[in-house]
Amino acid sequence: MTSAPAPERPTVLVADDEPDIRELARVLLEMDGFDVVGEAVDGEHAVEQYVELDPPPVPNVVLLDNRMPRLGGLDAAERILQHHPGQIVVLFSAHLDPAVTTRARELGVRACVSKVDTAKLPRILRDLLDG
């Protein structure tokens, strides 16, 4: 009797200019069964990482800080979503206001999560993936 193959772990690309926040997100996600397949220090690096991961393992989720040097999260999301309109992108920021969340929705970003809710990230991402 052979056992069924283990289900694939969902994959995430994490972009944040703060190393401590990237590490915290990575640890929380990996403890909950996600694979962090890339980390980026700014929006341009996130787009570069994303393109390098395509074809698979294209990440299931791209997690972007909004305020980053060189290219912010909304601009990075726009570029990624032009490349793959169905990509799940989550804006993860300490600076969410109605203008940011409205623009994110217009671009196709699936969720905006405050950094205050960091501990909820794994559940939020799973809900999006199941969704």
Side-chain angles (χ1 to χ4, degrees):
M1 175 184 220
T2 59
S3 61
E8 286 189 31
R9 293 165 54 102
T11 57
V12 183
L13 169 63
V14 176
D16 197 300
D17 57 319
E18 297 179 48
D20 292 345
I21 298 295
R22 282 195 317 273
E23 181 177 357
L24 178 60
R26 180 177 39 78
V27 167
L28 284 171
L29 293 168
E30 288 177 346
M31 285 176 47
D32 198 69
F34 289 83
D35 278 333
V36 175
V37 294
E39 293 185 31
V41 298
D42 60 43
E44 284 201 19
H45 189 219
V47 173
E48 291 167 5
Q49 287 265 328
Y50 183 81
V51 170
E52 287 175 13
L53 292 167
D54 182 25
V58 172
N60 299 113
V61 179
V62 177
L63 184 65
L64 298 169
D65 181 20
N66 188 40
R67 290 190 180 175
M68 294 184 286
R70 293 183 12 171
L71 188 68
L74 287 174
D75 293 327
E78 184 173 23
R79 290 186 187 180
I80 288 168
L81 291 165
Q82 285 173 345
H83 189 62
H84 278 289
Q87 178 64 58
I88 297 173
V89 175
V90 174
L91 196 65
F92 178 57
S93 182
H95 307 283
L96 293 175
D97 60 41
V100 169
T101 57
T102 297
R103 180 69 180 133
R105 268 194 308 276
E106 292 169 353
L107 292 172
V109 171
R110 301 277 183 94
C112 294
V113 179
S114 170
K115 287 186 178 176
V116 172
D117 294 324
T118 299
K120 298 177 184 176
L121 267 178
R123 183 183 50 80
I124 292 167
L125 299 190
R126 287 206 182 275
D127 288 348
L128 289 169
L129 289 167
D130 292 342

